[in-house]
Amino acid sequence: MIRKAFRAPRTAGASALAVLALAAALIAAPAASAAEREPATPFAPPGAGAVCAFYFGDEPTFYGDRGDRASEVQCLLANRHYLPWSEVDGTFGPTTLAAVQRFQADHPPLIPSGLVGSRTWSALWNA
């Protein structure tokens, strides 16, 4: 003899109870503490170190470039507080150029040209 599994039909009352139980669970859940929320500052926390993984090399990178090299320059600059994280978009534009020049001026013997060559790459990774 084959038995069919009996399944009680869902009623509007059962669905309403399920929604109420879910709502109660969400209301009872503790709010995220200040430490768990995203920081208000557009920069990574102090001492976070580099969290970039777009490019590892020393090819010249300069104004107008797009892609992984530009993203890597921007990420490294953002980690070092020369560029806001909101500017990490993979395009080496005027804001990135100014940030590179400030970084280079702060790290002699680099010349603040805005060109990210092998010496600037090395300084970005090791600053």
Side-chain angles (χ1 to χ4, degrees):
M1 177 172 172
I2 300 175
R3 289 188 181 181
K4 282 190 172 181
F6 177 75
R7 190 171 149 188
R10 275 208 158 163
T11 63
S15 295
L17 284 175
V19 169
L20 285 174
L22 178 61
L26 290 173
I27 290 170
S33 69
E36 294 170 330
R37 280 185 251 136
E38 191 169 326
T41 175
F43 298 108
V51 292
C52 310
F54 299 102
Y55 172 78
F56 186 75
D58 64 356
E59 291 291 318
T61 306
F62 46 86
Y63 185 82
D65 279 353
R66 293 174 176 261
D68 291 346
R69 289 192 325 240
S71 293
E72 185 72 15
V73 168
Q74 291 173 328
C75 187
L76 291 167
L77 288 167
N79 269 313
R80 283 142 186 81
H81 305 277
Y82 284 90
L83 190 71
W85 282 103
S86 61
E87 293 292 325
V88 179
D89 61 1
T91 301
F92 197 130
T95 307
T96 304
L97 176 64
V100 168
Q101 290 170 328
R102 281 192 315 276
F103 177 83
Q104 290 170 326
D106 288 349
H107 294 83
L110 297 176
I111 298 167
S113 64
L115 170 69
V116 181
S118 60
R119 290 182 179 170
T120 302
W121 276 116
S122 179
L124 282 166
W125 282 316
N126 298 305

